[in-house]
Amino acid sequence: MRKASLFSGIGGVDIAAHMAGMETVVFCEQKPFPQRVLHKHWPAVPIIDDVHDFTKGRLDELGIGTIDLVSAGYPCQPASFAGKRRGEEDDRWLWPEVRRVLSEVRPRWFIGENVFGHVSLGLDTVLTDLEDDGYAAEAIVIPAAAVYASHRRDRV
């Protein structure tokens, strides 16, 4: 299975995908430090540094080919309990860009990841958009304790 990684960070989801037998064929990450980490561990995988530039045309230029799965840890600040919770009014609300990428690339699978605050702010929009676009969508909450961490940190 070939995947694209949006808002990749240092590639945590991509390490898990690799362990499951998937191949990440393109990253999208804006920040310099995570880009250096990605280059170190995946030197042959291209990085598109702005989600607005992540288009089907750009993927074609890079010779990427078919993508079976898109993962996206899209910015959490708009929904986080630690922030102002401005949701769609926050300029960091980038779900519409993720949806655009999905509509252009048309992967069979999508995995999104976000903070627990997303459950009460914005998740209904995301799930409705996914279903409107032909995906069967389900959200689950995974606590940090599920991977034996000793702190409280729920992820959606």
Side-chain angles (χ1 to χ4, degrees):
M1 185 174 283
R2 295 164 46 84
K3 71 177 287 295
S5 177
L6 307 180
F7 311 102
S8 306
I10 60 169
V13 170
D14 309 292
I15 291 169
H18 176 77
M19 292 170 65
M22 298 178 203
E23 175 190 14
T24 300
V25 296
V26 63
F27 292 106
C28 183
E29 175 55 50
Q30 191 173 55
K31 298 190 178 187
F33 176 75
Q35 282 186 2
R36 288 194 302 274
V37 173
L38 295 172
H39 276 302
K40 178 182 179 195
H41 294 290
W42 292 276
V45 178
I47 300 173
I48 297 171
D49 67 0
D50 189 330
V51 72
H52 298 93
D53 297 331
F54 196 103
T55 64
K56 179 72 169 106
R58 181 73 176 117
L59 296 177
D60 291 344
E61 288 172 12
L62 292 169
I64 298 297
T66 302
I67 293 175
D68 304 299
L69 182 145
V70 169
S71 64
Y74 48 99
C76 65
Q77 296 91 335
S80 176
F81 288 120
K84 295 181 181 177
R85 295 185 49 84
R86 295 181 55 225
E88 295 179 34
E89 302 303 316
D90 192 312
D91 61 358
R92 296 167 295 185
W93 177 251
L94 292 175
W95 166 251
E97 285 301 308
V98 175
R99 186 181 188 193
R100 177 194 55 76
V101 168
L102 294 174
S103 72
E104 289 184 27
V105 174
R106 294 306 302 166
R108 186 168 179 192
W109 300 93
F110 168 67
I111 296 174
E113 179 272 332
N114 217 291
V115 296
F116 184 71
H118 195 22
V119 170
S120 60
L121 186 60
L123 184 59
D124 54 344
T125 298
V126 170
L127 295 174
T128 299
D129 288 350
L130 286 169
E131 289 181 358
D132 287 349
D133 294 344
Y135 290 96
E138 180 178 353
I140 59 172
V141 175
I142 302 174
V147 292
Y148 308 105
S150 60
H151 60 284
R152 174 84 188 194
R153 187 171 190 230
D154 293 338
R155 306 303 283 179
V156 178

